[in-house]
Amino acid sequence: MTPTIAIVAPGAMGSALARRLTESGARVLTSLEGRGPESRRRAGAAGMEAADDATIVTEADILLSIVPPSEALDLARRFAGAIARAGRGPVFVDANAVGVDTVTAADELVSTAGGRFVDGAIIGLPPRPGETGPVLYLSGPHAGAVAALSGLGLRLRTIDGPVGAASALKLSYAGITKGLTAVATAMILAAERAGAGDALRAELAASQPALLSRFAATLPDMVPKAYRWVAEMEAIRDFVGTGFPESAIYDGAAGLYRRIAADRQGAGAEIAALDRFLAGGGQN
Amino acid sequence: MTPTIAIVAPGAMGSALARRLTESGARVLTSLEGRGPESRRRAGAAGMEAADDATIVTEADILLSIVPPSEALDLARRFAGAIARAGRGPVFVDANAVGVDTVTAADELVSTAGGRFVDGAIIGLPPRPGETGPVLYLSGPHAGAVAALSGLGLRLRTIDGPVGAASALKLSYAGITKGLTAVATAMILAAERAGAGDALRAELAASQPALLSRFAATLPDMVPKAYRWVAEMEAIRDFVGTGFPESAIYDGAAGLYRRIAADRQGAGAEIAALDRFLAGGGQN
């Protein structure tokens, strides 16, 4: 029988994965507790059914937690309570961009309540029609319990490791890709301040064309997401461990993304400098 | 008449550029003051003539300062003194990986002594036979005075900017390329500590193959140079300015490279972890 899946919350990623599942014939529950009309609309468009927590823990076989990093532990606590009250529950997959400490604490809450916990990590963008979609990495002793998702249109990869391994993968991967974007943003802004932006672009075009092409796509993509990346950079700093001096790289990246997010709400001078740099190819 | 060039000191870069110049028919002077037998050997092999400072400032038309960043200002001071005593001197090109403040201070010393100063920046590796070699960027009002070098086998590019613009280019370019290497090193080591190294490599191979190929070349190349990159990262931090939170990225990179340099002299555990990661393709 096709399993029932719960996805909380119906954000951009959650509802896009839900649509894959409902198109594959699965019943997908969600919670609209504390969510606005946009979530309600997305949930409906993806074919999700709104349900209360007691219904979710009673009827769902698998629950995917997909929320902003700062809400991940609260959601695990909330469903651990519901699982304890119901005396049963779905396999709880924490698929959030949180640190190893957070996912370990969430495991503790869910397991103590009698539930089964899986560490998950989504790498890639929300799936769109015709695209293969992101990969859901899984780790921990119960990772095999969610294998059914691969028959429902999701791409799964299981890591041979404990709870924490999937999160470590997500953090280290994001630390490379979003760390590179931070390094590029920091240096382009500094070069522009020093009047060396055109020379930097010319040298990159001559000797690092692949990087320059990458920046032309990744920097504009970063600007509207910078506010969300602050907490992710701080999670990566904690993942490195402040005993290692390189953790400061991610303190710096968090501060930069905070600055870009504020600039987007404010004067826009930094974003204009990035745009000028990327558009300036003809000015040399 | 073919100009006389001085290059101080005859390190790997200096002697490789000198060889280009002597092969093009130029007379190249150098100073062996305080240098060991290896410098003497390299200088001889490149066709350089050893000379004292008084001879250099009297006979050279152009002097290229190519020393470790920490020695750049002392060399400018030393030749400013020689120029003042001789009442003449070559155009002094500071081609070192130093910050804008340092190159501005060097300009002040040389100009006050009556000399002409050019900000220079070398991007690329020492030239080898058959290769085009690195580019020497130049900025400042006297940049045109060293144009003769382009007829002697060196690749020159003049930046339309003051003293400091060429250094800003060098720092921002190195901040991107060596910053990316730092980000990759930090995340590979953290993933290896968490047991997620194999998963990270597999995900990079699937979704970021160009970056993974790059790391296979740049990380092993970094290890023996890490000790030199510490001061360069600190210069980039100062170039960004500690008033900008992203300057912490380069504090973190400096700390990481210091740690790698110490590991190379010591236990070698970090370098072994990097090697394991890069060699591990067959273990998935």
Side-chain angles (χ1 to χ4, degrees):
Chain A
M1 207 185 95
T2 306
T4 296
I5 316 296
I7 296 185
V8 181
M13 177 65 81
S15 56
L17 294 179
R19 179 190 290 264
R20 278 280 156 97
L21 295 170
T22 58
E23 286 173 352
S24 300
R27 180 181 177 218
V28 181
L29 306 178
T30 193
S31 167
L32 292 172
E33 193 178 310
R35 306 288 298 194
E38 176 63 14
S39 289
R40 192 171 298 271
R41 190 199 61 73
R42 268 196 303 249
M48 303 166 95
E49 293 175 33
D52 60 24
D53 291 1
T55 304
I56 287 173
V57 295
T58 307
E59 301 188 6
D61 301 291
I62 297 167
L63 190 160
L64 300 183
S65 164
I66 306 178
V67 292
S70 59
E71 300 174 18
L73 198 56
D74 284 344
L75 195 78
R77 187 175 290 112
R78 177 177 135 196
F79 277 96
I83 289 168
R85 283 189 294 276
R88 83 165 301 282
V91 181
F92 187 99
V93 183
D94 188 309
N96 302 301
V98 293
V100 176
D101 289 353
T102 301
V103 82
T104 303
D107 181 12
E108 176 84 15
L109 288 167
V110 171
S111 299
T112 301
R116 287 171 293 166
F117 184 90
V118 175
D119 182 16
I122 298 168
I123 295 187
L125 298 174
R128 288 189 294 190
E131 294 179 355
T132 56
V135 174
L136 175 59
Y137 281 90
L138 304 162
S139 74
H142 300 295
V146 300
L149 294 175
S150 70
L152 297 170
L154 301 198
R155 299 169 69 201
L156 304 185
R157 281 189 205 140
T158 301
I159 302 175
D160 183 21
V163 166
S167 290
L169 166 64
K170 167 74 179 179
L171 294 165
S172 55
Y173 181 84
I176 290 174
T177 56
K178 294 170 185 169
L180 172 54
T181 299
V183 155
T185 301
M187 289 297 98
I188 289 168
L189 292 178
E192 287 281 327
R193 287 195 296 273
D198 288 340
L200 175 61
R201 191 182 49 253
E203 178 59 33
L204 289 172
S207 64
Q208 303 286 348
L211 287 183
L212 185 59
S213 298
R214 181 186 182 97
F215 301 156
T218 54
L219 270 56
D221 179 64
M222 169 273 290
V223 168
K225 297 175 180 169
Y227 79 99
R228 278 203 277 124
W229 291 8
V230 174
E232 194 170 345
M233 295 301 109
E234 289 169 344
I236 295 169
R237 173 201 59 203
D238 294 343
F239 165 61
V240 172
T242 50
F244 292 95
E246 60 264 36
S247 64
I249 294 173
Y250 295 93
D251 260 331
L256 174 62
Y257 289 138
R258 190 177 288 113
R259 209 159 82 70
I260 297 293
D263 189 62
R264 187 159 182 259
Q265 300 297 321
E270 306 295 335
I271 295 165
L274 294 175
D275 288 346
R276 200 209 73 81
F277 177 90
L278 292 172
Q283 297 175 16
N284 279 293
Chain B
M1 207 183 96
T2 305
T4 296
I5 316 294
I7 296 185
V8 182
M13 177 65 80
S15 56
L17 293 179
R19 179 189 290 264
R20 278 280 156 97
L21 295 170
T22 57
E23 287 174 352
S24 300
R27 180 180 178 219
V28 181
L29 307 179
T30 193
S31 167
L32 293 171
E33 192 177 309
R35 306 287 299 192
E38 177 63 13
S39 289
R40 192 171 299 271
R41 188 200 61 72
R42 267 197 303 251
M48 302 165 96
E49 293 174 32
D52 59 25
D53 292 1
T55 305
I56 287 172
V57 297
T58 307
E59 300 188 6
D61 300 291
I62 297 167
L63 190 161
L64 299 183
S65 163
I66 306 178
V67 291
S70 59
E71 300 175 19
L73 197 57
D74 283 344
L75 195 78
R77 187 175 290 113
R78 177 177 135 196
F79 277 96
I83 289 167
R85 284 188 294 277
R88 84 162 301 283
V91 180
F92 187 99
V93 182
D94 187 309
N96 302 301
V98 293
V100 176
D101 288 353
T102 301
V103 81
T104 302
D107 180 12
E108 176 83 17
L109 289 166
V110 171
S111 298
T112 301
R116 285 170 296 165
F117 184 90
V118 174
D119 183 15
I122 298 168
I123 295 186
L125 299 173
R128 290 189 293 192
E131 294 179 357
T132 56
V135 174
L136 175 58
Y137 281 90
L138 304 163
S139 74
H142 299 295
V146 301
L149 293 175
S150 71
L152 297 170
L154 301 199
R155 298 169 69 203
L156 304 186
R157 282 190 205 140
T158 301
I159 301 175
D160 182 21
V163 165
S167 290
L169 167 65
K170 167 76 178 178
L171 294 166
S172 55
Y173 182 84
I176 290 174
T177 56
K178 294 171 186 168
L180 172 54
T181 299
V183 155
T185 302
M187 289 297 98
I188 289 169
L189 292 177
E192 287 281 327
R193 286 194 296 272
D198 289 340
L200 175 61
R201 191 182 49 254
E203 178 59 34
L204 289 173
S207 63
Q208 303 285 349
L211 287 183
L212 185 59
S213 298
R214 181 185 182 99
F215 300 156
T218 54
L219 270 56
D221 178 65
M222 169 273 291
V223 168
K225 298 176 180 170
Y227 79 97
R228 278 203 278 122
W229 291 7
V230 175
E232 194 170 346
M233 295 300 109
E234 291 169 343
I236 295 169
R237 174 201 57 201
D238 295 341
F239 165 60
V240 173
T242 51
F244 292 95
E246 60 263 36
S247 64
I249 294 172
Y250 295 94
D251 260 330
L256 174 62
Y257 289 137
R258 190 177 288 115
R259 208 158 82 69
I260 296 294
D263 188 64
R264 187 159 183 259
Q265 301 297 320
E270 306 295 336
I271 295 164
L274 293 175
D275 288 347
R276 200 209 73 83
F277 177 89
L278 292 173
Q283 297 174 20
N284 277 295

